[in-house]
Amino acid sequence: QVQLVESGGGLVQPGGSLILSCAASGFTLEDYNIAWFRQAPGKEREGVSCIVGRDGSTAYAESVKGRFTASRDNAKNTVYLQMNSLKPEDTAVYYCATDPYCLGDYGPYWGQGTQVTVSA
């Protein structure tokens, strides 16, 4: 069965850190570009990062550059998103998905999302 499963979300204070995980089954993450994006209530979907399958290079949205780091563990078939210096505006449901060109055209594989809440 092909699926992506996110985990690691939660409640954190401003300035805190979280690590999100995106575990794949049924396919090899290394063969795909994997994006993280987020959706907050009342806001448009926002791409956060993308990690290129071929070489592991990464790209980030300006809003998270310098604070978030995407990485991949091929042995565990898992992609991670390290989030530091979190701000209340980072509050959203975070998803991982395949993204053929790292251009925000997500699919065909999506996760179910994990909630991140940044609040004092």
Side-chain angles (χ1 to χ4, degrees), residues 30-82:
E30 192 177 358
D31 293 337
Y32 293 81
N33 300 337
I34 302 296
W36 286 96
F37 66 94
R38 62 190 181 186
Q39 181 85 59
K43 295 186 178 180
E44 293 188 357
R45 180 187 302 167
E46 179 186 15
V48 173
S49 74
C50 195
I51 186 165
V52 177
R54 181 183 68 254
D55 61 7
S57 59
T58 53
Y60 301 93
E62 284 299 322
S63 59
V64 305
K65 198 173 290 185
R67 300 188 297 122
F68 290 12
T69 304
S71 62
R72 185 179 67 206
D73 186 330
N74 293 335
K76 295 183 178 181
N77 211 25
T78 299
V79 168
Y80 302 96
L81 186 67
Q82 171 75 52

Side-chain angles (χ1 to χ4, degrees), residues 62-118:
E62 284 299 322
S63 59
V64 305
K65 198 173 290 185
R67 300 188 297 122
F68 290 12
T69 304
S71 62
R72 185 179 67 206
D73 186 330
N74 293 335
K76 295 183 178 181
N77 211 25
T78 299
V79 168
Y80 302 96
L81 186 67
Q82 171 75 52
M83 306 187 296
N84 298 328
S85 302
L86 283 162
K87 305 175 182 179
E89 52 264 42
D90 294 319
T91 296
V93 178
Y94 284 71
Y95 300 85
C96 62
T98 53
D99 188 351
Y101 303 104
C102 283
L103 292 177
D105 185 17
Y106 306 120
Y109 308 131
W110 299 59
Q112 82 290 349
T114 186
Q115 175 71 48
V116 172
T117 302
V118 185

